[in-house]
Amino acid sequence: MKKILIAIIVCVLLLASTSCAPHETDQAPINQNDYLFAVSNNTVYKYNIKSGIASPLCGDPLCKHSNDRCPFYGVGEEIFKLNNTIVYYKENKILKYDLSTNKSDVAYTAEGNIYYPYLIEDSIYFNTVTFDYSPDANHPTSVDLLCFSFSNNNVKCLNVEKLYDMQRIQGIDDDRIVWYDNGLQLLYTTNYDYNERNSLNEEYYGIIAGGKSYRLKVASSSPISFDLYGHQNGEDVTVLHGIVSIKGYHDSLIATYNSKDGKYIGQAIKDDGSLMDVIEYQGNDLYAYDSDGNNERKLCSIPDDYIIYSLAPTKITLSNGDYIGVQLKEYEFDAKGYVIGYKASTNIAIINVNTGICVITKGK
C-alpha cells in the first residue's frame, strides 16, 4: 500500500511540473506552407489553410496559453516570418521559433523594453525604451533605435544622439525607410542606416503592389476613409478613392469600403453620461484591382455576422502563397450591455486571392 501511495505522489508531482513550466513537446514539425500566423488574445495562433482550424502555436496540450507559463503569452502585436522561422518579441527580448524543430530561442536581449519592431529583409529594426521617474530626471524616457541582423547576429545602434520619443516605421518608399516620430508627430525618411534624413509633410502608409509604392490620404473623417495615391511623372495620381482598408499583395491591390447605412452594434456611454449609438460602417465586401487600380473585381464577401478588423498590410505572416488572412474584430460590452471597445477576434477569414473562396477559421 505504501509503495502504491508513493507511486501516486510521484505521478502527481511529475504532472504538476510538466503543466507549470514551458517545455518542448513531441509535436510534428509545422509545414509553413499550410499555415498563416497572427497574434490574438496575447498569444500566437496558427491558422491551417487547408482545414480552417485555428490553434495556439504552443503545442503543449496541458498549457492554457493564458499566463507567462506559456512561452508565447504576452508577446507583442507584431510577429514576422523569416524563412522557416517565426520572429516575435516579448518585453526586452527578440525571440525566434523554428517551425521545423518547434524550438524557441532568444535571438537578442535588450537593455530596455522593445517597441515597434519591423522586419526588413533579414534585419529587425526596433525601439528600446528605458524609464527614469526620479525627481531630478531630465526626461522620463530614453529611446534607442537598434537594428539586429539574423544573418550574423550583430546589433547596431542607429541613433547618434539620445532620443526621448519612439520612432515607428511606417513602411518602405523608394528604397528608403519612412518613420513617424511619436513625440513630434512628424513623418520623415532615412536610408537603412538612419542617415540622410528628409522631412515628409504628408499622411502616409506604405502600400506596395506590383513593385510600386503607394500612400494614403484621409478622404473622409466620419466615417473614416482614405484615398490611395502614387506618383507618375513626378505628380500625385489617385489610384483608389474612399477605401477603408487596403492590402498590396503580389501584383494586386485588395480593398474594402464603407457600407452605405452601417451596422448597429449597440450603445455606448459618452463622457457626459448620455448615450450614443455605435455604428460600424466597415463594409464586408472585398474588391481586387490590378496594381494600377484598374480592372475592379469583387473578390468575396465576409459573412454579415463578422466584422473586418484590418487587411493588415504589414503583417506578412498573414499572407502565404495564394492565401491571405483578414483579421476580424469583436465588440466588447460591460455588464449592462454598453459598448466599451473592441478587440481582434481569435478567428480570421482565410481568402484565396485567385478564386475568392473565403473560409472563417474555427478554434481548436
Side-chain angles (χ1 to χ4, degrees):
M1 183 66 183
K2 189 176 292 184
K3 291 182 179 180
I4 296 175
L5 181 59
I6 292 173
I8 292 174
I9 292 173
V10 170
C11 289
V12 170
L13 290 174
L14 286 173
L15 181 61
S17 65
T18 55
S19 61
C20 292
H23 60 281
E24 301 299 339
T25 65
D26 294 329
Q27 62 175 331
I30 297 171
N31 185 345
Q32 63 170 330
N33 296 323
D34 292 341
Y35 289 92
L36 304 178
F37 303 88
V39 175
S40 183
N41 293 336
N42 291 315
T43 193
V44 182
Y45 274 77
K46 62 180 188 289
Y47 300 88
N48 192 300
I49 293 171
K50 297 178 180 178
S51 68
I53 297 296
S55 56
L57 183 58
C58 171
D60 185 351
L62 300 176
C63 185
K64 295 182 178 179
H65 319 294
S66 59
N67 54 48
D68 288 335
R69 294 171 182 170
C70 177
F72 294 103
Y73 180 77
V75 302
E77 292 184 1
E78 293 291 342
I79 62 174
F80 307 92
K81 184 151 63 72
L82 180 62
N83 300 322
N84 203 41
T85 301
I86 297 296
V87 176
Y88 61 106
Y89 69 108
K90 189 175 183 179
E91 297 175 345
N92 68 328
K93 292 180 173 60
I94 299 289
L95 302 106
K96 54 183 182 179
Y97 181 82
D98 192 321
L99 295 173
S100 61
T101 63
N102 300 318
K103 291 183 179 180
S104 182
D105 295 307
V106 176
Y108 177 74
T109 301
E111 293 183 3
N113 282 357
I114 292 171
Y115 295 89
Y116 299 143
Y118 197 100
L119 187 71
I120 302 177
E121 296 180 349
D122 66 347
S123 298
I124 189 165
Y125 292 70
F126 55 95
N127 294 250
T128 60
V129 182
T130 54
F131 301 91
D132 185 358
Y133 296 120
S134 59
D136 57 345
N138 293 326
H139 298 276
T141 61
S142 178
V143 179
D144 280 318
L145 289 179
L146 300 181
C147 175
F148 176 82
S149 171
F150 287 96
S151 62
N152 56 24
N153 292 324
N154 285 341
V155 65
K156 178 180 179 181
C157 184
L158 300 177
N159 55 296
V160 177
E161 298 180 354
K162 213 66 170 176
L163 300 169
Y164 302 108
D165 294 293
M166 287 184 281
Q167 314 295 304
R168 183 169 190 170
I169 294 181
Q170 294 289 93
I172 307 297
D173 190 23
D174 292 333
D175 206 31
R176 290 175 62 82
I177 301 177
V178 179
W179 301 84
Y180 178 76
D181 187 310
N182 277 14
L184 299 176
Q185 298 182 348
L186 295 175
L187 288 161
Y188 62 96
T189 68
T190 69
N191 61 15
Y192 291 114
D193 291 325
Y194 201 64
N195 298 319
E196 302 174 8
R197 175 168 172 157
N198 294 327
S199 298
L200 186 66
N201 298 318
E202 43 194 331
E203 297 179 59
Y204 182 92
Y205 202 103
I207 307 295
I208 297 175
K212 302 175 183 178
S213 184
Y214 303 94
R215 303 177 182 180
L216 290 177
K217 286 183 179 179
V218 174
S220 171
S221 58
S222 183
I224 189 72
S225 68
F226 304 90
D227 287 344
L228 183 75
Y229 72 97
H231 292 290
Q232 182 175 326
N233 298 324
E235 298 182 357
D236 293 345
V237 177
T238 300
V239 178
L240 295 175
H241 175 69
I243 59 178
V244 178
S245 194
I246 182 75
K247 183 183 185 72
Y249 194 55
H250 296 327
D251 293 332
S252 298
L253 293 165
I254 301 169
T256 61
Y257 295 84
N258 283 318
S259 59
K260 182 178 180 181
D261 300 320
K263 180 189 299 183
Y264 176 78
I265 303 298
Q267 290 188 311
I269 302 176
K270 297 195 292 187
D271 292 339
D272 61 6
S274 61
L275 296 177
M276 60 176 289
D277 291 340
V278 176
I279 306 295
E280 174 61 56
Y281 286 96
Q282 166 77 288
N284 281 26
D285 295 332
L286 273 71
Y287 293 87
Y289 303 84
D290 294 343
S291 60
D292 57 5
N294 294 321
N295 191 23
E296 177 185 278
R297 54 205 181 276
K298 183 176 178 179
L299 186 61
C300 67
S301 294
I302 305 294
D304 288 339
D305 49 346
Y306 295 94
I307 300 172
I308 294 174
Y309 183 72
S310 171
L311 293 180
T314 63
K315 293 184 181 296
I316 58 176
T317 56
L318 276 174
S319 304
N320 192 342
D322 293 336
Y323 296 88
I324 62 170
V326 176
Q327 287 196 299
L328 308 173
K329 65 181 176 182
E330 301 172 350
Y331 276 88
E332 297 183 289
F333 303 86
D334 63 14
K336 295 183 179 180
Y338 294 119
V339 178
I340 57 175
Y342 61 84
K343 63 179 181 180
S345 171
T346 296
N347 292 311
I348 65 172
I350 297 179
I351 298 168
N352 187 305
V353 295
N354 292 324
T355 65
I357 294 177
C358 173
V359 175
I360 306 296
T361 62
K362 299 298 180 184
K364 188 176 180 180

